[in-house]
Amino acid sequence: MRLAKRLLDITISLIALLVFAPLLLLIALLVRLQMGAPVLFRQTRPGLGGKPFKMFKFRTMRDAYDAQGNLLPDAERITSLGQFLRRTSLDELPEFINVLKGEMSLVGPRPLLMQYLERYTPEQARRHEVEPGITGWAQINGRNAISWEQRFTLDVWYVDHWSFWLDIKILALSLLKVLKREGISADGHATMPEFTGRNSS
């Protein structure tokens, strides 16, 4: 079954990159014109077993700082193009490259920030027992509009109940979520608030 999952990852990723090649080039051009270089946002994220890898996304924010040299909040840096890319999930198209490289899967817990690793409880850390995904069980059950505790519970549920057919179901439901543009951000935040530990909401 794991082999079937990997074959599905490779097949769909190759098809997506070929089919969306003109769109990828257009988005890259628009990002370059509105936000400058680099076009891609590269950030180290934890993969299977917490092993770090470089995740690719289209850039959605400007580099903007306050008078003290501190980076401004996400809500003040995200551009109109960036908001559109996030609403439509088009900013995540470059992640198909990560899937082809075997660093991610189509389906799995979303890769979060490296600094969160030391903040997880042992149960929450089990989300890293599988490859991170472009979409996942938490994404079709609330995405960024649910609490961190709910998200991690859903992630661990996926780890314990994974099957090839569950992945197919998640992929199908993810398409519906993208079309409906649901759960893109948490209340009062451009995306999600920072996870600070066990009691984060």
Side-chain angles (χ1 to χ4, degrees):
M1 292 295 282
R2 290 290 176 181
L3 177 60
K5 179 181 178 71
R6 182 62 185 146
L7 289 175
L8 181 68
D9 284 346
I10 293 172
T11 301
I12 292 183
S13 295
L14 281 174
I15 292 173
L17 288 171
L18 289 172
V19 169
F20 292 119
L23 180 59
L24 288 165
L25 291 173
L26 176 61
I27 293 173
L29 176 62
L30 293 174
V31 171
R32 181 70 174 82
L33 291 173
Q34 188 175 98
M35 287 171 266
V39 168
L40 290 180
F41 173 74
R42 299 175 177 87
Q43 189 174 54
T44 302
R45 299 288 179 95
L48 179 65
K51 181 181 178 181
F53 72 97
K54 290 287 186 182
M55 188 182 76
F56 305 118
K57 296 179 73 172
F58 278 119
R59 189 176 172 193
T60 59
M61 298 184 188
R62 293 190 180 93
D63 292 328
Y65 302 85
D66 61 20
Q68 287 71 45
N70 300 311
L71 204 60
L72 293 175
D74 290 357
E76 296 181 38
R77 294 189 297 120
I78 192 167
T79 66
S80 56
L81 173 62
Q83 289 176 332
F84 171 76
L85 293 177
R86 289 193 177 193
R87 284 198 305 269
T88 55
S89 296
L90 291 174
D91 63 316
E92 297 182 6
L93 287 177
E95 291 173 29
F96 284 114
I97 299 172
N98 293 118
V99 175
L100 281 180
K101 293 172 67 177
E103 298 164 334
M104 293 179 63
S105 176
L106 293 173
V107 181
R110 285 293 296 166
L112 301 175
L113 301 178
M114 291 299 296
Q115 58 263 37
Y116 291 179
L117 287 175
E118 61 185 21
R119 304 175 188 176
Y120 295 138
T121 65
E123 181 70 4
Q124 292 169 346
R126 293 188 57 228
R127 69 194 306 276
H128 295 292
E129 292 178 8
V130 297
E131 292 87 354
I134 293 179
T135 187
W137 189 239
Q139 276 58 54
I140 64 169
N141 285 284
R143 198 174 175 180
N144 290 333
I146 59 177
S147 70
W148 283 114
E149 294 293 331
Q150 291 171 312
R151 173 186 285 216
F152 295 143
T153 297
L154 292 168
D155 287 343
V156 174
W157 185 93
Y158 172 80
V159 171
D160 289 337
H161 295 84
W162 175 83
S163 72
F164 179 78
W165 298 111
L166 177 60
D167 277 7
I168 296 297
K169 175 181 178 180
I170 291 172
L171 288 171
L173 291 175
S174 295
L175 289 175
L176 294 177
K177 288 287 183 179
V178 169
L179 292 175
K180 293 180 179 180
R181 302 181 183 180
E182 294 178 347
I184 296 167
S185 61
D187 290 342
H189 297 271
T191 51
M192 280 285 287
E194 180 181 359
F195 174 66
T196 56
R198 179 178 296 186
N199 295 322
S200 293
S201 58

